[in-house]
Amino acid sequence: MASIQYSPRLVRQLLQLPPSIRRSCFSTAATPSKPDIYDLVCVGGGPAGLSLLSSLRSHASTRDLKVAIIDSQDLTTSRVANDPSAYSNRCSSLTPASLDFLRNNGAWRHVDARRVQGYHGMEVWDGVSGAKISFDPLEAKGGLLETIAELVPGSRFQESVRKGDVAEDPAVMATMCENQNVTSGLLQRIKEVGGVEMLDKTKVESIEFGPEPEGETGLDLSQWPIITLPSSRRLAARLLVGADGANSPVRNFADIKSDGWDYNQHGIVATLHLDHSFAENNLRTAYQRFLPTGPIALLPLPGNKASLVWSMSTPLATKLKSLPPSDFATMVNAAFKLQQVDLSYLLTHAGSNLDIADELSWRLPNTSTAATGLPPSFPNIAAVQEGSIASFPLRMRHAATYTRDRVALIGDAAHTIHPLAGQGLNLGLADANSLAKQIVYGVEHGMDIGSTWCLDGYNADRWAANNAVMGVCDKLNKLYRTDSAPVVFARSLGLNLVNSLSPLKGALMGAAGGK
């Protein structure tokens, strides 16, 4: 701490005061201000942190907790683009479980529904062999009995099930929504319920444990996290929640180790224009092709828009981002439609004097869709939204635990996952939902919400579940990044087998949807 300099005149005046007053003056000048006491302080104003607070403020048992949120960004509600024809390149595929959570905490009704698009089916295929699996809404109702019945030769079980389901509305597999639209809805909900101190445009200066109590009657904050802000304001948190991203200062303060690895890949994202528009009541489909360079996915947005996520090596991502927008759109078409040998040639020579559009125009008519596995319904990519092409590094990280005494981690502070299954935001929302329920339980049963006694249930609920999802995504990424003939044969055989068992696909859809 820097020493305090006093003028000679001030010193003389202080010396003339009675001893008790002199001690009080010096003690006040040298002692930092007492921290403000909060039940919960959340660092990080993304969807995970905001949904946690929205959920707590929406529940009768926890709405009176004193809570605050800290974020370095401007937490305003004006985050959705004013141009209805322009979409952010950062979109998420929200599962039914995530939508239920957002509806239950009151945030979903504040989301701009005009910019949201559900999809009802998904086509996934192998970029080397053409083996594929198709998901449709009716298959989401499958179970063990149906799977066994499907294996019986000559079984008409699935046919009878479909006849009974024809009159029902098709289920939505997932819902595409811009991340900023979700954030805007959550901010509006928090504003609606009130009671959250919004410390936006504020950076955390430090986090440390509080001082020892002064005397026997003083408040003991020695095991409480004390957050210091730039204004020298200090907040003491009964529970400190880290929703502050992959490089979490809260996780570092709690000394929680985070293991994992980099994939040496980047995920390219962009907003695409399709060659035709879709009406609001049209059934939409998502598409994903697994290439040796990395998976590529086309996810529907309203009208003639779609969201692209394409994983590849860092040098290749740099090359493709430097292409003119028209050539980039052509490369996306090629990545979905050409055989691997043709696509490899275009990727190798992209950025040179090669006319990519001309190459695609003569290669495509000579490409068999049966060999590539291209679904008949796949649309043509017409253009790329200006300024929407970007990329981010891909890595996997998982915290050794999500909780310490008076600390809990949610979202990217707890885990970072490969985007091939689109589960990143969904896992973060599931964390927030689980932690909110645990806090409600703690309050209703008289627990200290920052104690490990209260928080252990959250860690038990989410750590293993997230670890399983992360493991599956990691293994799928490695499995499909090879073009070794035996591996391709084995994975294609498995994919075709699963595709033939509709109830089994239904079980997979249910698991992916968080149900």
Side-chain angles (χ1 to χ4, degrees):
M1 180 182 296
S3 60
I4 301 175
Q5 301 295 324
Y6 299 100
S7 69
R9 182 170 177 270
L10 179 59
V11 171
R12 286 194 299 270
Q13 290 176 336
L14 288 173
L15 290 174
Q16 294 173 1
L17 296 173
S20 60
I21 298 179
R22 289 205 307 267
R23 284 193 297 269
S24 176
C25 289
F26 280 104
S27 175
T28 302
T31 304
S33 60
K34 290 185 178 180
D36 299 324
I37 307 297
Y38 285 82
D39 292 303
L40 184 148
V41 175
C42 179
V43 180
L50 292 173
S51 62
L52 170 66
L53 296 188
S54 174
S55 183
L56 293 175
R57 294 297 302 166
S58 300
H59 197 283
S61 299
T62 52
R63 65 174 52 136
D64 292 328
L65 293 177
K66 186 178 180 182
V67 298
I69 189 166
I70 305 171
D71 196 275
S72 59
Q73 303 298 314
D74 183 9
L75 295 181
T76 65
T77 57
S78 57
R79 291 195 167 202
V80 179
N82 294 323
D83 184 356
S85 65
Y87 284 81
S88 168
N89 57 14
R90 299 306 299 266
C91 299
S92 293
S93 179
L94 299 174
T95 63
S98 293
L99 284 188
D100 286 346
F101 175 47
L102 293 173
R103 288 191 180 104
N104 290 339
N105 68 30
W108 189 250
R109 68 172 179 267
H110 296 289
V111 170
D112 188 347
R114 298 168 300 178
R115 305 180 67 84
V116 169
Q117 179 62 59
Y119 58 90
H120 310 81
M122 188 167 187
E123 301 282 352
V124 181
W125 66 103
D126 191 317
V128 178
S129 68
K132 60 184 176 181
I133 183 170
S134 302
F135 296 99
D136 71 58
L138 296 179
E139 292 163 338
K141 301 181 180 180
L144 179 61
L145 174 62
E146 292 90 334
T147 302
I148 295 173
E150 189 80 358
L151 292 171
V152 177
S155 171
R156 299 176 63 85
F157 184 88
Q158 196 59 221
E159 181 181 343
S160 65
V161 170
R162 287 178 179 274
K163 285 181 179 179
D165 282 344
V166 168
E168 297 184 6
D169 292 334
V172 174
M173 281 187 63
T175 301
M176 289 299 298
C177 185
E178 297 160 291
N179 291 357
Q180 61 189 21
N181 197 2
V182 175
T183 301
S184 177
L186 286 165
L187 286 169
Q188 290 183 62
R189 173 57 177 167
I190 289 175
K191 182 179 180 181
E192 179 182 55
V193 296
V196 177
E197 186 172 356
M198 307 291 287
L199 300 172
D200 62 345
K201 295 178 284 188
T202 303
K203 184 178 180 181
V204 172
E205 290 286 314
S206 65
I207 308 174
E208 55 191 2
F209 288 114
E212 295 293 333
E214 297 178 1
E216 296 182 358
T217 59
L219 182 61
D220 185 2
L221 298 178
S222 60
Q223 298 303 311
W224 283 41
I226 307 294
I227 305 98
T228 302
L229 306 181
S231 59
S232 296
R233 184 183 174 189
R234 302 163 73 232
L235 283 62
R238 183 181 300 276
L239 173 59
L240 175 61
V241 176
D244 46 350
N247 300 315
S248 168
V250 174
R251 189 183 65 232
N252 293 336
F253 159 75
D255 195 26
I256 297 176
K257 188 178 180 182
S258 181
D259 294 319
W261 48 82
D262 294 340
Y263 287 108
N264 297 317
Q265 286 185 305
H266 267 62
I268 289 185
V269 291
T271 302
L272 305 177
H273 298 258
L274 307 180
D275 62 349
H276 63 280
S277 187
F278 292 85
E280 186 177 349
N281 60 349
N282 287 152
L283 299 185
R284 302 295 296 276
T285 302
Y287 303 90
Q288 185 170 41
R289 188 185 190 193
F290 282 92
L291 301 167
T293 51
I296 181 171
L298 185 74
L299 303 159
L301 292 174
N304 70 329
K305 304 298 190 302
S307 181
L308 172 75
V309 184
W310 188 359
S311 303
M312 64 189 69
S313 68
T314 302
L316 185 55
T318 302
K319 180 194 291 188
L320 292 188
K321 286 194 299 180
S322 67
L323 294 176
S326 59
D327 284 351
F328 182 86
T330 302
M331 285 301 306
V332 174
N333 278 315
F336 278 108
K337 298 178 179 181
L338 291 183
Q339 291 189 351
Q340 181 58 36
V341 62
D342 295 319
L343 177 59
S344 296
Y345 177 83
L346 294 186
L347 291 173
T348 301
H349 295 87
S352 63
N353 294 327
L354 185 71
D355 189 330
I356 300 176
D358 183 61
E359 289 286 334
L360 181 63
S361 65
W362 73 262
R363 290 175 188 270
L364 200 53
N366 297 293
T367 301
S368 168
T369 56
T372 61
L374 181 71
S377 61
F378 188 81
N380 190 58
I381 312 303
V384 182
Q385 179 179 296
E386 184 179 357
S388 69
I389 303 173
S391 71
F392 56 95
L394 304 184
R395 54 177 62 97
M396 188 178 106
R397 297 284 190 277
H398 201 194
T401 179
Y402 292 173
T403 59
R404 283 273 196 265
D405 194 33
R406 306 209 175 280
V407 173
L409 305 177
I410 61 176
D412 286 354
H415 44 75
T416 308
I417 188 173
H418 195 286
L420 67 85
Q423 291 299 305
L425 180 57
N426 292 305
L427 295 185
L429 293 176
D431 293 344
N433 189 15
S434 176
L435 181 57
K437 289 179 179 178
Q438 198 63 37
I439 293 172
V440 168
Y441 179 86
V443 170
E444 292 177 344
H445 290 78
M447 296 180 180
D448 179 349
I449 64 170
S451 67
T452 54
W453 184 35
C454 178
L455 297 176
D456 280 348
Y458 161 64
N459 189 64
D461 180 46
R462 293 305 305 157
W463 193 94
N466 288 341
N467 194 62
V469 174
M470 295 171 70
V472 169
C473 291
D474 180 63
K475 300 304 184 293
L476 281 175
N477 179 60
K478 293 174 180 175
L479 177 65
Y480 279 94
R481 287 190 65 185
T482 179
D483 55 3
S484 169
V487 176
V488 172
F489 174 78
R491 74 192 186 200
S492 300
L493 182 65
L495 199 63
N496 288 329
L497 177 62
V498 173
N499 193 48
S500 66
L501 300 175
S502 297
L504 180 56
K505 288 193 291 182
L508 293 174
M509 290 168 65
K515 296 296 188 180

